[in-house]
Amino acid sequence: MLDTPIEPLLGHNDPDPVQIVNPDGRSDLLLIGDHAGNVVPAALGSLGIGPDDLNRHIGWDIGIAGLGEALAGMLDAVFIRQTYSRLVIDCNRDPARADAMPAVSDGTRIPANEVLTGADRAARVAAIHAPYQAAIAAELARRDAGGRQTQLVSLHSFTPAMAGVARPWQVGVLHDRGELSLTHRTLARLRADPTLTVGDNEPYRMDGIDHTVPRHAYPDRPYVELEVRQDLLADAAGVAAWATRLAAVLGE
């Protein structure tokens, strides 16, 4: 139990924590972006880091906002994306985990996260994490109530090198348990392209750390989690090219 009341984190000038692109989309695919934004609430200042750090991979999934919006248009799909930086709160983590609000990310100290009270953490969950997860749940519930099947597509991007080790994959397909028909189909279609090096649970493996897909897809909703290398999404041309490629792969 918290000793102090939870004060609202977001002010009148802060943007909404959730953006829904193409809300009337008719596709059975539901696109989501856990790390599509890198905004910091005004109350938290700069988190104690500079804009360069906020704009690199520790602050968000580079290119995913544009990729999701383009795919939403090409596939006539709904895209639910999160607005705030993963350094404020990582919406693909259980909020009880320490790394949901990391004190260090890829070797960079995040001073605003080094000493957080229970009330501080609860405020971030209430303002950002809970509304984002609730928006996904509400869209799925609406579709389920109408007898409409939904396949969940979680969009992420990854840095080309981590800890000095280059990552050769252009795209990765992440999965674990549950209904894997969409995962297997997507992996096979990507691997059919001889120009691509495709990771199967690379550069990350979906495991107990992941939060959003297990929460909304397990045990029987088809899903796929995609990771696109960030240097391939660094400009508008790259985003457009990958949106075209993935629209063909994901489309029926």
Side-chain angles (χ1 to χ4, degrees), residues 103-155:
V104 178
S105 184
D106 192 21
T108 297
R109 288 179 53 236
I110 315 300
N113 292 352
E114 290 179 338
V115 182
L116 293 174
T117 67
D120 293 333
R121 297 181 69 89
R124 297 190 192 187
V125 174
I128 299 168
H129 194 288
Y132 173 67
Q133 298 295 341
I136 297 170
E139 178 64 17
L140 291 172
R142 182 183 70 82
R143 294 171 177 225
D144 291 346
R148 179 178 172 188
Q149 184 188 30
T150 299
Q151 302 182 89
L152 191 63
V153 180
S154 183
L155 300 172

Short mmCIF file of all heavy atoms in Angstrom, two decimals, residues 103-155:
data_model
loop_
_atom_site.label_atom_id
_atom_site.label_comp_id
_atom_site.label_asym_id
_atom_site.label_seq_id
_atom_site.Cartn_x
_atom_site.Cartn_y
_atom_site.Cartn_z
N ALA A 103 17.00 2.43 -14.29
CA ALA A 103 17.97 3.42 -13.80
C ALA A 103 19.17 3.53 -14.72
O ALA A 103 19.84 4.55 -14.75
CB ALA A 103 18.42 3.04 -12.39
N VAL A 104 19.42 2.47 -15.49
CA VAL A 104 20.50 2.45 -16.48
C VAL A 104 19.97 1.74 -17.71
O VAL A 104 19.31 0.70 -17.61
CB VAL A 104 21.74 1.70 -15.95
CG1 VAL A 104 22.83 1.66 -17.01
CG2 VAL A 104 22.27 2.34 -14.68
N SER A 105 20.25 2.29 -18.90
CA SER A 105 19.85 1.66 -20.15
C SER A 105 21.01 1.69 -21.13
O SER A 105 21.51 2.77 -21.47
CB SER A 105 18.64 2.38 -20.75
OG SER A 105 18.19 1.73 -21.93
N ASP A 106 21.47 0.52 -21.53
CA ASP A 106 22.62 0.37 -22.43
C ASP A 106 23.79 1.25 -21.98
O ASP A 106 24.41 1.95 -22.78
CB ASP A 106 22.22 0.70 -23.88
CG ASP A 106 23.29 0.27 -24.89
OD1 ASP A 106 24.11 -0.59 -24.56
OD2 ASP A 106 23.29 0.83 -26.01
N GLY A 107 24.08 1.20 -20.69
CA GLY A 107 25.21 1.92 -20.13
C GLY A 107 24.97 3.37 -19.80
O GLY A 107 25.85 4.03 -19.24
N THR A 108 23.80 3.91 -20.10
CA THR A 108 23.49 5.31 -19.84
C THR A 108 22.65 5.43 -18.57
O THR A 108 21.60 4.79 -18.46
CB THR A 108 22.71 5.93 -21.02
OG1 THR A 108 23.54 5.91 -22.18
CG2 THR A 108 22.31 7.36 -20.72
N ARG A 109 23.12 6.23 -17.62
CA ARG A 109 22.35 6.49 -16.40
C ARG A 109 21.13 7.32 -16.73
O ARG A 109 21.18 8.26 -17.53
CB ARG A 109 23.20 7.25 -15.37
CG ARG A 109 24.29 6.46 -14.71
CD ARG A 109 25.07 7.34 -13.73
NE ARG A 109 24.19 8.01 -12.78
CZ ARG A 109 24.15 9.34 -12.60
NH1 ARG A 109 24.94 10.15 -13.30
NH2 ARG A 109 23.32 9.87 -11.70
N ILE A 110 20.02 6.98 -16.08
CA ILE A 110 18.79 7.75 -16.19
C ILE A 110 18.51 8.33 -14.81
O ILE A 110 17.85 7.70 -13.97
CB ILE A 110 17.60 6.87 -16.66
CG1 ILE A 110 18.01 5.96 -17.84
CG2 ILE A 110 16.41 7.76 -17.03
CD1 ILE A 110 18.49 6.69 -19.07
N PRO A 111 19.06 9.52 -14.50
CA PRO A 111 19.00 10.03 -13.12
C PRO A 111 17.59 10.10 -12.54
O PRO A 111 17.41 9.84 -11.34
CB PRO A 111 19.64 11.42 -13.26
CG PRO A 111 20.59 11.28 -14.40
CD PRO A 111 19.88 10.38 -15.38
N ALA A 112 16.61 10.46 -13.34
CA ALA A 112 15.25 10.59 -12.81
C ALA A 112 14.66 9.26 -12.37
O ALA A 112 13.65 9.24 -11.66
CB ALA A 112 14.34 11.23 -13.86
N ASN A 113 15.29 8.16 -12.77
CA ASN A 113 14.78 6.83 -12.41
C ASN A 113 15.59 6.17 -11.29
O ASN A 113 15.28 5.04 -10.91
CB ASN A 113 14.80 5.91 -13.62
CG ASN A 113 13.80 6.31 -14.69
OD1 ASN A 113 12.99 7.21 -14.49
ND2 ASN A 113 13.86 5.66 -15.84
N GLU A 114 16.58 6.85 -10.79
CA GLU A 114 17.47 6.19 -9.83
C GLU A 114 16.86 6.05 -8.45
O GLU A 114 17.15 5.08 -7.74
CB GLU A 114 18.80 6.95 -9.76
CG GLU A 114 19.62 6.80 -11.03
CD GLU A 114 20.93 7.56 -11.00
OE1 GLU A 114 21.05 8.54 -10.22
OE2 GLU A 114 21.84 7.19 -11.77
N VAL A 115 16.03 6.98 -8.05
CA VAL A 115 15.37 6.90 -6.74
C VAL A 115 13.89 7.20 -6.95
O VAL A 115 13.48 8.37 -6.99
CB VAL A 115 15.98 7.89 -5.72
CG1 VAL A 115 15.29 7.72 -4.38
CG2 VAL A 115 17.48 7.66 -5.58
N LEU A 116 13.10 6.16 -7.10
CA LEU A 116 11.66 6.31 -7.33
C LEU A 116 10.90 5.75 -6.14
O LEU A 116 11.17 4.63 -5.69
CB LEU A 116 11.24 5.56 -8.60
CG LEU A 116 11.75 6.10 -9.94
CD1 LEU A 116 11.36 5.16 -11.06
CD2 LEU A 116 11.23 7.50 -10.20
N THR A 117 9.96 6.52 -5.65
CA THR A 117 9.09 6.02 -4.57
C THR A 117 7.99 5.16 -5.18
O THR A 117 7.77 5.14 -6.40
CB THR A 117 8.46 7.19 -3.81
OG1 THR A 117 7.54 7.87 -4.70
CG2 THR A 117 9.51 8.16 -3.30
N GLY A 118 7.28 4.47 -4.32
CA GLY A 118 6.13 3.71 -4.78
C GLY A 118 5.10 4.59 -5.45
O GLY A 118 4.49 4.21 -6.46
N ALA A 119 4.92 5.81 -4.93
CA ALA A 119 3.96 6.74 -5.52
C ALA A 119 4.44 7.21 -6.89
O ALA A 119 3.62 7.38 -7.82
CB ALA A 119 3.76 7.94 -4.60
N ASP A 120 5.75 7.42 -7.05
CA ASP A 120 6.30 7.80 -8.35
C ASP A 120 6.01 6.73 -9.40
O ASP A 120 5.56 7.03 -10.51
CB ASP A 120 7.82 8.00 -8.28
CG ASP A 120 8.24 9.17 -7.43
OD1 ASP A 120 7.45 10.14 -7.29
OD2 ASP A 120 9.37 9.13 -6.89
N ARG A 121 6.26 5.51 -9.04
CA ARG A 121 6.06 4.41 -9.97
C ARG A 121 4.57 4.25 -10.29
O ARG A 121 4.19 4.06 -11.46
CB ARG A 121 6.63 3.11 -9.40
CG ARG A 121 8.14 3.14 -9.19
CD ARG A 121 8.66 1.81 -8.65
NE ARG A 121 8.56 0.76 -9.64
CZ ARG A 121 9.50 0.47 -10.53
NH1 ARG A 121 10.64 1.17 -10.55
NH2 ARG A 121 9.33 -0.50 -11.39
N ALA A 122 3.75 4.34 -9.26
CA ALA A 122 2.31 4.18 -9.47
C ALA A 122 1.75 5.27 -10.38
O ALA A 122 0.84 5.03 -11.18
CB ALA A 122 1.59 4.18 -8.13
N ALA A 123 2.30 6.48 -10.28
CA ALA A 123 1.83 7.58 -11.12
C ALA A 123 2.13 7.30 -12.59
O ALA A 123 1.30 7.60 -13.47
CB ALA A 123 2.46 8.89 -10.68
N ARG A 124 3.29 6.75 -12.87
CA ARG A 124 3.64 6.44 -14.26
C ARG A 124 2.79 5.31 -14.81
O ARG A 124 2.36 5.34 -15.97
CB ARG A 124 5.13 6.09 -14.37
CG ARG A 124 6.05 7.23 -13.98
CD ARG A 124 7.49 6.92 -14.32
NE ARG A 124 8.41 7.87 -13.71
CZ ARG A 124 9.72 7.90 -13.96
NH1 ARG A 124 10.25 7.03 -14.80
NH2 ARG A 124 10.50 8.80 -13.36
N VAL A 125 2.54 4.32 -13.98
CA VAL A 125 1.66 3.22 -14.41
C VAL A 125 0.27 3.75 -14.72
O VAL A 125 -0.31 3.45 -15.78
CB VAL A 125 1.59 2.13 -13.33
CG1 VAL A 125 0.57 1.06 -13.73
CG2 VAL A 125 2.96 1.50 -13.10
N ALA A 126 -0.28 4.55 -13.82
CA ALA A 126 -1.65 5.04 -13.99
C ALA A 126 -1.79 5.97 -15.19
O ALA A 126 -2.80 5.95 -15.90
CB ALA A 126 -2.10 5.77 -12.72
N ALA A 127 -0.77 6.77 -15.45
CA ALA A 127 -0.85 7.77 -16.51
C ALA A 127 -0.58 7.21 -17.90
O ALA A 127 -1.15 7.69 -18.89
CB ALA A 127 0.12 8.91 -16.23
N ILE A 128 0.29 6.19 -17.99
CA ILE A 128 0.78 5.76 -19.30
C ILE A 128 0.56 4.27 -19.56
O ILE A 128 -0.07 3.89 -20.55
CB ILE A 128 2.29 6.11 -19.43
CG1 ILE A 128 2.48 7.63 -19.32
CG2 ILE A 128 2.86 5.57 -20.73
CD1 ILE A 128 3.92 8.05 -19.14
N HIS A 129 1.10 3.44 -18.71
CA HIS A 129 1.05 1.99 -18.93
C HIS A 129 -0.39 1.48 -18.94
O HIS A 129 -0.81 0.78 -19.88
CB HIS A 129 1.87 1.29 -17.83
CG HIS A 129 2.19 -0.15 -18.08
ND1 HIS A 129 1.24 -1.14 -18.02
CD2 HIS A 129 3.37 -0.77 -18.37
CE1 HIS A 129 1.81 -2.31 -18.26
NE2 HIS A 129 3.11 -2.11 -18.48
N ALA A 130 -1.16 1.81 -17.92
CA ALA A 130 -2.52 1.29 -17.82
C ALA A 130 -3.42 1.75 -18.97
O ALA A 130 -4.15 0.93 -19.55
CB ALA A 130 -3.13 1.67 -16.47
N PRO A 131 -3.41 3.04 -19.36
CA PRO A 131 -4.26 3.45 -20.50
C PRO A 131 -3.88 2.76 -21.81
O PRO A 131 -4.76 2.44 -22.62
CB PRO A 131 -4.05 4.96 -20.58
CG PRO A 131 -3.62 5.36 -19.21
CD PRO A 131 -2.80 4.21 -18.70
N TYR A 132 -2.60 2.55 -22.02
CA TYR A 132 -2.17 1.89 -23.26
C TYR A 132 -2.66 0.45 -23.30
O TYR A 132 -3.26 0.00 -24.28
CB TYR A 132 -0.64 1.94 -23.36
CG TYR A 132 -0.08 1.15 -24.51
CD1 TYR A 132 -0.32 1.52 -25.83
CD2 TYR A 132 0.70 0.02 -24.27
CE1 TYR A 132 0.20 0.77 -26.89
CE2 TYR A 132 1.22 -0.72 -25.32
CZ TYR A 132 0.97 -0.35 -26.63
OH TYR A 132 1.48 -1.08 -27.66
N GLN A 133 -2.43 -0.28 -22.22
CA GLN A 133 -2.88 -1.67 -22.19
C GLN A 133 -4.41 -1.74 -22.24
O GLN A 133 -4.98 -2.65 -22.87
CB GLN A 133 -2.35 -2.36 -20.93
CG GLN A 133 -0.83 -2.45 -20.85
CD GLN A 133 -0.22 -3.31 -21.93
OE1 GLN A 133 -0.89 -4.13 -22.55
NE2 GLN A 133 1.08 -3.14 -22.17
N ALA A 134 -5.08 -0.79 -21.61
CA ALA A 134 -6.55 -0.78 -21.63
C ALA A 134 -7.08 -0.52 -23.04
O ALA A 134 -8.11 -1.08 -23.43
CB ALA A 134 -7.08 0.27 -20.67
N ALA A 135 -6.40 0.32 -23.81
CA ALA A 135 -6.85 0.60 -25.18
C ALA A 135 -6.76 -0.65 -26.05
O ALA A 135 -7.66 -0.92 -26.86
CB ALA A 135 -6.00 1.72 -25.77
N ILE A 136 -5.69 -1.41 -25.88
CA ILE A 136 -5.56 -2.67 -26.64
C ILE A 136 -6.66 -3.64 -26.21
O ILE A 136 -7.34 -4.25 -27.05
CB ILE A 136 -4.18 -3.29 -26.41
CG1 ILE A 136 -3.08 -2.36 -26.94
CG2 ILE A 136 -4.09 -4.66 -27.10
CD1 ILE A 136 -1.68 -2.78 -26.56
N ALA A 137 -6.85 -3.78 -24.91
CA ALA A 137 -7.86 -4.70 -24.40
C ALA A 137 -9.26 -4.32 -24.88
O ALA A 137 -10.08 -5.18 -25.24
CB ALA A 137 -7.82 -4.75 -22.88
N ALA A 138 -9.55 -3.03 -24.89
CA ALA A 138 -10.87 -2.57 -25.31
C ALA A 138 -11.12 -2.86 -26.78
O ALA A 138 -12.23 -3.27 -27.18
CB ALA A 138 -11.03 -1.08 -25.02
N GLU A 139 -10.12 -2.63 -27.62
CA GLU A 139 -10.28 -2.91 -29.05
C GLU A 139 -10.47 -4.40 -29.30
O GLU A 139 -11.32 -4.81 -30.11
CB GLU A 139 -9.06 -2.39 -29.82
CG GLU A 139 -9.08 -2.66 -31.31
CD GLU A 139 -10.20 -1.98 -32.06
OE1 GLU A 139 -10.81 -1.03 -31.53
OE2 GLU A 139 -10.48 -2.40 -33.22
N LEU A 140 -9.72 -5.22 -28.60
CA LEU A 140 -9.88 -6.67 -28.75
C LEU A 140 -11.25 -7.12 -28.24
O LEU A 140 -11.91 -7.95 -28.89
CB LEU A 140 -8.77 -7.40 -27.99
CG LEU A 140 -7.36 -7.25 -28.59
CD1 LEU A 140 -6.33 -7.85 -27.65
CD2 LEU A 140 -7.28 -7.91 -29.96
N ALA A 141 -11.69 -6.57 -27.13
CA ALA A 141 -13.00 -6.95 -26.59
C ALA A 141 -14.12 -6.55 -27.54
O ALA A 141 -15.10 -7.29 -27.72
CB ALA A 141 -13.20 -6.30 -25.21
N ARG A 142 -13.99 -5.38 -28.15
CA ARG A 142 -15.01 -4.92 -29.11
C ARG A 142 -15.10 -5.87 -30.29
O ARG A 142 -16.19 -6.25 -30.72
CB ARG A 142 -14.66 -3.51 -29.58
CG ARG A 142 -15.65 -2.89 -30.55
CD ARG A 142 -15.19 -1.52 -31.02
NE ARG A 142 -14.04 -1.60 -31.90
CZ ARG A 142 -14.12 -1.87 -33.21
NH1 ARG A 142 -15.31 -2.11 -33.77
NH2 ARG A 142 -13.03 -1.91 -33.95
N ARG A 143 -13.96 -6.28 -30.79
CA ARG A 143 -13.94 -7.20 -31.92
C ARG A 143 -14.46 -8.58 -31.53
O ARG A 143 -15.23 -9.20 -32.27
CB ARG A 143 -12.52 -7.31 -32.47
CG ARG A 143 -11.99 -6.02 -33.08
CD ARG A 143 -10.51 -6.16 -33.38
NE ARG A 143 -9.99 -4.97 -34.03
CZ ARG A 143 -9.19 -4.99 -35.10
NH1 ARG A 143 -8.83 -6.14 -35.64
NH2 ARG A 143 -8.77 -3.86 -35.63
N ASP A 144 -14.03 -9.05 -30.37
CA ASP A 144 -14.48 -10.36 -29.91
C ASP A 144 -15.99 -10.39 -29.74
O ASP A 144 -16.66 -11.37 -30.10
CB ASP A 144 -13.81 -10.72 -28.59
CG ASP A 144 -12.31 -11.01 -28.73
OD1 ASP A 144 -11.85 -11.18 -29.87
OD2 ASP A 144 -11.63 -11.06 -27.68
N ALA A 145 -16.55 -9.31 -29.20
CA ALA A 145 -17.99 -9.25 -28.99
C ALA A 145 -18.76 -9.30 -30.30
O ALA A 145 -19.90 -9.78 -30.35
CB ALA A 145 -18.36 -7.98 -28.21
N GLY A 146 -18.14 -8.79 -31.36
CA GLY A 146 -18.77 -8.81 -32.68
C GLY A 146 -18.46 -10.07 -33.47
O GLY A 146 -18.82 -10.15 -34.66
N GLY A 147 -17.80 -11.04 -32.85
CA GLY A 147 -17.47 -12.28 -33.54
C GLY A 147 -16.37 -12.13 -34.57
O GLY A 147 -16.26 -12.93 -35.51
N ARG A 148 -15.54 -11.12 -34.41
CA ARG A 148 -14.51 -10.81 -35.39
C ARG A 148 -13.16 -11.33 -34.90
O ARG A 148 -12.69 -10.97 -33.83
CB ARG A 148 -14.46 -9.30 -35.58
CG ARG A 148 -13.43 -8.78 -36.55
CD ARG A 148 -13.58 -7.27 -36.64
NE ARG A 148 -12.51 -6.66 -37.41
CZ ARG A 148 -12.32 -5.35 -37.50
NH1 ARG A 148 -13.15 -4.52 -36.87
NH2 ARG A 148 -11.33 -4.86 -38.22
N GLN A 149 -12.53 -12.18 -35.69
CA GLN A 149 -11.21 -12.69 -35.32
C GLN A 149 -10.17 -11.59 -35.45
O GLN A 149 -10.23 -10.79 -36.39
CB GLN A 149 -10.80 -13.87 -36.19
CG GLN A 149 -9.46 -14.48 -35.77
CD GLN A 149 -8.95 -15.52 -36.75
OE1 GLN A 149 -9.21 -15.45 -37.94
NE2 GLN A 149 -8.20 -16.49 -36.23
N THR A 150 -9.24 -11.55 -34.53
CA THR A 150 -8.16 -10.56 -34.58
C THR A 150 -6.83 -11.27 -34.48
O THR A 150 -6.65 -12.18 -33.67
CB THR A 150 -8.28 -9.54 -33.44
OG1 THR A 150 -9.53 -8.85 -33.57
CG2 THR A 150 -7.15 -8.51 -33.50
N GLN A 151 -5.89 -10.82 -35.30
CA GLN A 151 -4.50 -11.28 -35.23
C GLN A 151 -3.65 -10.10 -34.78
O GLN A 151 -3.71 -9.02 -35.37
CB GLN A 151 -4.05 -11.80 -36.59
CG GLN A 151 -4.92 -12.93 -37.12
CD GLN A 151 -4.43 -13.45 -38.45
OE1 GLN A 151 -3.60 -14.36 -38.50
NE2 GLN A 151 -4.91 -12.89 -39.53
N LEU A 152 -2.88 -10.31 -33.74
CA LEU A 152 -2.13 -9.22 -33.11
C LEU A 152 -0.73 -9.14 -33.71
O LEU A 152 -0.01 -10.13 -33.77
CB LEU A 152 -2.05 -9.47 -31.60
CG LEU A 152 -1.54 -8.33 -30.73
CD1 LEU A 152 -2.48 -7.13 -30.80
CD2 LEU A 152 -1.39 -8.80 -29.28
N VAL A 153 -0.34 -7.93 -34.15
CA VAL A 153 0.97 -7.69 -34.73
C VAL A 153 1.67 -6.62 -33.91
O VAL A 153 1.27 -5.46 -33.91
CB VAL A 153 0.88 -7.24 -36.20
CG1 VAL A 153 2.27 -7.01 -36.77
CG2 VAL A 153 0.11 -8.27 -37.03
N SER A 154 2.71 -7.01 -33.19
CA SER A 154 3.46 -6.09 -32.34
C SER A 154 4.70 -5.64 -33.09
O SER A 154 5.52 -6.46 -33.51
CB SER A 154 3.84 -6.79 -31.03
OG SER A 154 4.50 -5.90 -30.16
N LEU A 155 4.84 -4.32 -33.27
CA LEU A 155 5.91 -3.75 -34.08
C LEU A 155 7.01 -3.16 -33.19
O LEU A 155 6.73 -2.33 -32.32
CB LEU A 155 5.35 -2.65 -34.99
CG LEU A 155 4.27 -3.09 -35.98
CD1 LEU A 155 3.67 -1.87 -36.67
CD2 LEU A 155 4.84 -4.07 -37.01
#
